[in-house]
Each structure stands twice: as C-alpha cells, then as structure tokens.
Amino acid sequence: MSETPGSGKGRPTPKRRDAQRRHGGPVAPPPATRKEAARRIRAQGAEKRKAVRAGTKAGDETAMMARDRGPVRRLVRDLVDSRRHLGVVLLPATFVPVLSGLSSSQAVRQAAISVWLLGVAVAVADMVVTGSLIRRRLRRGFPAETKMRGHVVYGLIRTAQFRRLRVPPPQVRPGAEV
C-alpha cells in the first residue's frame, strides 16, 4: 500500500512492549470477591464524579458534563447569567400561601394566593421573554443549529435556579453585555 503525501504518522509502529511500558505502572490484581469488585467500581465512579465536579466548578469545558459542553451552551449560560430573573423567587414564594394558611383570616389567605399567582405570572412572562431572547441570539450566532428547543429549555431551567447554586457557575455578571 502506498501512502499519499501528507498521510501517515511519520514514524514506525512501536513494539508492543514499548507501547505497554508507556501505559503506566503495574496492573492492579483482579478483585478477590464481588464485594471488592463493587467497591473498586464505586471508588472509580466517585473519582470520576469528583473530577467532573472540579472541572465544572473551574469552568473547564473538557471536564464538564456533556449537557453543559460546547459554544452554544456557553452562550445560553452567559445570556441567562447576564440578567436577573424572577424565576428564582418561585420556590421561596410558595411559602407565602402555605404560611398564610396558618392565619384564621380568609382575606389574608386570598391575598397571599393572589400575590403568589401574580408572582407566577410575572415569572412565566420573564421566562417567555428569556426564551425568545435565547432563540433569537442562537439563530444569529449559530445559524446551522437546528436543535433550538433543548437549548431554550436548558436556559429556562437555569433561570429558575438561585445564581449561587447554578452549575456550571456563572462566568458573567448581571448587566454585562453578551
């Protein structure tokens, strides 16, 4: 077989013993029991999750989970993180009607439910605006991207999370131009 110019690796194939020597230290002995095998698998999984968590926290794209990787997801995260959202108040706002149930006054309960429903309506409106902003910016920045719905849902779920608890952590400040 003749190689075309520019193809090939430019060096001979290494001997097996040389290739195996580069793979690292000695191979661990096989597990003696099923329990030990399960323990090893759990330890390997924990180590892998720890590395993903550390890489995600540092903002390293190669260590992030697959759902968070790529320039499109980075843009979605930056768009969401550059604004303040009302979706974060939905969870704490659910305590308003619950706590008002402790009151014996019917007027207090109705007012609390009305305030909560107004908050839900405003948060949904904010999510609609954010979703359209994400869709518009993705169409402009990534015209070949066809899977719009998944990116929009990713961004909307992020709007409902407290800023400090978002994973991966925000890289832009609120009010920043993206």
Side-chain angles (χ1 to χ4, degrees), residues 39-94:
R39 193 176 317 118
R40 283 186 191 178
I41 290 171
R42 276 195 308 272
Q44 287 173 345
E47 201 164 306
K48 195 179 214 180
R49 286 189 300 275
K50 191 175 181 181
V52 167
R53 198 174 319 126
T56 300
K57 196 168 191 167
D60 179 18
E61 290 253 349
T62 59
M64 288 183 185
M65 292 175 58
R67 68 159 195 229
D68 298 323
R69 281 191 212 134
V72 177
R73 290 296 169 104
R74 175 175 285 286
L75 177 63
V76 170
R77 283 194 306 272
D78 290 348
L79 286 171
V80 169
D81 295 339
S82 68
R83 301 178 59 214
R84 299 212 183 267
H85 299 279
L86 297 171
V88 297
V89 299
L90 282 179
L91 183 63
T94 57

Side-chain angles (χ1 to χ4, degrees), residues 30-150:
T33 63
R34 280 184 60 221
K35 266 187 169 179
E36 186 182 343
R39 193 176 317 118
R40 283 186 191 178
I41 290 171
R42 276 195 308 272
Q44 287 173 345
E47 201 164 306
K48 195 179 214 180
R49 286 189 300 275
K50 191 175 181 181
V52 167
R53 198 174 319 126
T56 300
K57 196 168 191 167
D60 179 18
E61 290 253 349
T62 59
M64 288 183 185
M65 292 175 58
R67 68 159 195 229
D68 298 323
R69 281 191 212 134
V72 177
R73 290 296 169 104
R74 175 175 285 286
L75 177 63
V76 170
R77 283 194 306 272
D78 290 348
L79 286 171
V80 169
D81 295 339
S82 68
R83 301 178 59 214
R84 299 212 183 267
H85 299 279
L86 297 171
V88 297
V89 299
L90 282 179
L91 183 63
T94 57
F95 290 112
V96 172
V98 171
L99 293 176
S100 71
L102 301 174
S103 171
S104 60
S105 170
Q106 185 70 19
V108 169
R109 283 185 276 191
Q110 286 180 343
I113 290 175
S114 298
V115 167
W116 180 72
L117 287 175
L118 178 67
V120 169
V122 170
V124 167
D126 179 51
M127 286 183 175
V128 168
V129 169
T130 303
S132 65
L133 171 76
I134 290 170
R135 192 174 282 113
R136 190 175 7 167
R137 288 292 301 271
L138 288 182
R139 282 196 184 120
R140 190 175 350 141
F142 300 93
E145 189 65 35
T146 58
K147 190 184 87 164
M148 225 28 98
R149 175 179 273 172

Side-chain angles (χ1 to χ4, degrees), residues 11-25:
R11 59 181 170 75
T13 302
K15 299 261 186 234
R16 179 180 292 235
R17 67 174 181 258
D18 297 333
Q20 287 177 343
R21 194 176 307 138
R22 274 186 274 141
H23 283 311

